Amino acid sequence: MEMPLGQPKTKHSVIVLGAGVIGLQCALTLRQRGYDVHVVAKHLPGDVSIEYTSPWAGAHWRPHGLGHDVQQCRWDMESYRDWINIVAEEARLNVPVEARSGISVSQSTLAVIAAFQSDGVQIVPSLLMWDSPQHAELQPSGDASSLWFAREADEFHVCAAPGHAAGIASAARFTALTINVPKYLKYLQHQLSILGGQCTQFAAPTEQGFDVALEDICRKIRAPSNAFIINATGMGARHLVPDNLVYPARGQVVLVRGVAPECRTRQGESYISYVIPRPDAGTSILGGCKEVGNWDGEEDTSMTEKILERARTLVPELLNEKGEFEVLSVQVGLRPGREGGARVEREVRKDGRVMVHSYGHGGAGYQNSVGVANTVLSLIEDESLRASKL
């Protein structure tokens, strides 16, 4: 689906470093506002590499932050509303399935596990470690009515636990969104191309530091010396900036045949179990884990077994006649986390270049993406206004 606006007039040049969901969304948002945008990245949509995190995501809209993190909540809701509008517009225009964005609206179930395991719950023993009424997301009431997005997400309501899941302390339903991530990344790249934005695949040498790498990039694409820079390099920022606060949060998911009837998430003290239906693909994602500081890009077979075992009670609808999941693949990704939270801020470098950093979003990259891009745009617009007055 083409964006419902004409070819924008060109403003200032912007170079976006990185073609993950954050980089591509920033590029598209800036191009829609008329900036001359050029994405430069080692990996582009369609590539498969442990260095390229975005293609390995689940993904679906489920808030990670707590209500006191106002900026995180705003990013989440701006993305939510934008995606709802995209889905509605595709339906209104009757866009063919193969040409759609990869976003799908789904009724989601968030289920939070009770502190003690009853005999009927077939979940790993870590359940015994969790006291659900004290879970941070459920404060102050101790139930799902305290979730910060209870008043924001469509059709949110506290509900009883589904019959196949025992030991639930609190549960809620709301209208969620699932993302077919390989398709969505290509969609963003395509929309950028339609509007005249460019993408160049280039692995700039980083051994001599960020400034030298930028010089090589600018020579490669013949960028003007005053181009704004958007640093959306994800895990790469750890060595490129360098920023030692950036760390990997290893995730592992299992792709199985069959489409789950809804998103379902079940949380315990030291684990999370979820199922995400993949739009238009006939598959679902089972997850997951978050292993901070783990750089291993290979499958952990024991983790695969845990994910599948937990999923048996979470989504029994996908079990075959033998009582098993039909596993298609196991996927591992390194989420780019950052101590202290994501870095989204403007920097004027020693050579006078204006750079806006946007990295360290961890597992919230997709649901943050539109809101973050709006923040990046505002930082660039402020700098453009300042420069025009000099």
Side-chain angles (χ1 to χ4, degrees), residues 128-192:
L128 296 172
M129 299 171 62
W130 191 58
D131 181 5
S132 64
Q134 302 304 318
H135 193 278
E137 291 184 353
L138 302 182
Q139 301 314 306
S141 69
D143 64 43
S145 64
S146 289
L147 292 168
W148 70 262
F149 57 95
R151 296 177 299 278
E152 303 288 344
D154 293 349
E155 300 182 47
F156 182 97
H157 60 282
V158 175
C159 65
H164 57 75
I168 303 296
S170 185
R173 287 185 181 273
F174 68 101
T175 299
L177 297 117
T178 60
I179 311 296
N180 183 327
V181 293
K183 186 173 183 179
Y184 186 61
L185 292 172
K186 290 182 178 180
Y187 164 84
L188 291 176
Q189 185 183 22
H190 179 62
Q191 295 300 322
L192 178 63

Side-chain angles (χ1 to χ4, degrees), residues 9-14 26 29-36 228-230 346 354-356 372-389:
K9 295 181 180 179
T10 298
K11 293 183 183 179
H12 204 284
S13 293
V14 179
C26 287
T29 298
L30 287 162
R31 184 62 194 137
Q32 288 170 338
R33 289 297 292 264
Y35 289 90
D36 181 11
F228 295 143
I229 310 293
I230 308 299
R346 182 174 54 238
V354 175
M355 178 178 293
V356 174
V372 166
N374 291 337
T375 297
V376 169
L377 171 64
S378 68
L379 292 171
I380 290 293
E381 296 274 65
D382 289 347
E383 186 60 33
S384 294
L385 181 62
R386 187 195 68 78
S388 69
K389 294 179 178 179

Side-chain angles (χ1 to χ4, degrees), residues 170-230:
S170 185
R173 287 185 181 273
F174 68 101
T175 299
L177 297 117
T178 60
I179 311 296
N180 183 327
V181 293
K183 186 173 183 179
Y184 186 61
L185 292 172
K186 290 182 178 180
Y187 164 84
L188 291 176
Q189 185 183 22
H190 179 62
Q191 295 300 322
L192 178 63
S193 177
I194 287 173
L195 294 178
Q198 301 180 69
C199 288
T200 295
Q201 190 159 21
F202 178 59
T206 60
E207 296 81 7
Q208 299 182 57
F210 207 172
D211 290 333
V212 174
L214 282 176
E215 291 175 5
D216 287 344
I217 290 169
C218 289
R219 279 196 298 268
K220 174 70 176 179
I221 65 174
R222 298 180 180 179
S225 60
N226 65 342
F228 295 143
I229 310 293
I230 308 299

